[in-house]
Amino acid sequence: MLRKRDKIDRELIALLTDQARLSTSEIARRLGLARSTVNERIARLEKDQIILGYHAIVTPDHEVQETRSFLHLRCEHARSRQIVQALRGFPEIRECVSISGPYDLVCTIHTPCTEDIDALIEDLAAIPGILALDATVVLADKFDRLPQRGCGELEHLSLAS
């Protein structure tokens, strides 16, 4: 059973989100806790799937032009979990969120070129339970208020209390 996250959990998650490579000793020092307490809390947050992983954030290669697109998927509700699990196996899919409206999921896709989007759509269309796919290619970035992230960004961490 998931327990409610307290102020210390939220501060720990914030530290790890900002600097995932901090040592437990440094985290303990910053939070004013024993190192064993920090280790126990991290282990619990991982077990509860609040912390999903740790990844390097890599500076994007500006020599390589990436094509970003959004895929809208309509799915059989009975197969939603299996579909999401199958989508995790495609490295081009950077993000997948459930939405309201005529589609069930929206995925953010990064590929080297548009032909790769076409090939990905063919592969995804073969997944049982996907009823419809609609792709939208990003033409240009106008502005971004989110912190800059690179390839291999951190997986989402839940910060809700």
Side-chain angles (χ1 to χ4, degrees):
M1 181 164 119
L2 293 178
R3 73 179 193 112
K4 186 175 178 182
R5 279 165 261 147
D6 61 15
K7 182 178 185 267
I8 293 171
D9 285 344
R10 290 189 301 273
E11 289 174 355
L12 174 60
I13 290 167
L15 280 172
L16 289 172
T17 300
D18 189 43
Q19 300 176 55
R21 293 193 60 181
L22 283 176
S23 68
T24 53
S25 298
E26 178 60 19
I27 294 169
R29 185 189 68 72
R30 290 185 187 191
L31 296 178
L33 299 171
R35 193 168 52 99
S36 60
T37 302
V38 170
N39 283 327
E40 289 169 9
R41 284 182 177 257
I42 290 172
R44 181 182 39 78
L45 291 167
E46 290 171 346
K47 180 179 174 274
D48 291 346
Q49 295 186 339
I50 303 304
I51 297 176
L52 299 175
Y54 306 88
H55 300 279
I57 298 173
V58 180
T59 302
D61 185 350
H62 296 290
E63 300 291 318
V64 176
Q65 182 70 33
E66 271 195 328
T67 301
R68 189 171 73 225
S69 58
F70 300 103
L71 283 183
H72 295 77
L73 292 85
R74 195 168 66 239
C75 307
E76 288 179 24
H77 293 285
R79 294 187 174 182
S80 293
R81 286 187 182 172
Q82 294 89 348
I83 291 168
V84 170
Q85 190 60 36
L87 296 175
R88 288 180 190 275
F90 293 88
E92 306 89 336
I93 300 176
R94 300 277 179 88
E95 178 182 38
C96 180
V97 297
S98 61
I99 59 169
S100 62
Y103 290 97
D104 302 298
L105 302 171
V106 173
C107 298
T108 305
I109 311 298
H110 291 252
T111 59
C113 61
T114 55
E115 288 84 5
D116 294 322
I117 297 168
D118 186 50
L120 178 64
I121 289 170
E122 286 181 19
D123 291 343
L124 296 179
I127 295 173
I130 293 182
L131 303 173
L133 288 157
D134 187 21
T136 304
V137 176
V138 174
L139 300 177
D141 288 321
K142 299 300 184 184
F143 67 89
D144 183 356
R145 289 196 172 110
L146 297 174
Q148 293 302 310
R149 300 172 291 185
C151 300
E153 64 192 74
L154 288 177
E155 291 184 72
H156 292 288
L157 301 179
S158 176
L159 297 176
S161 55

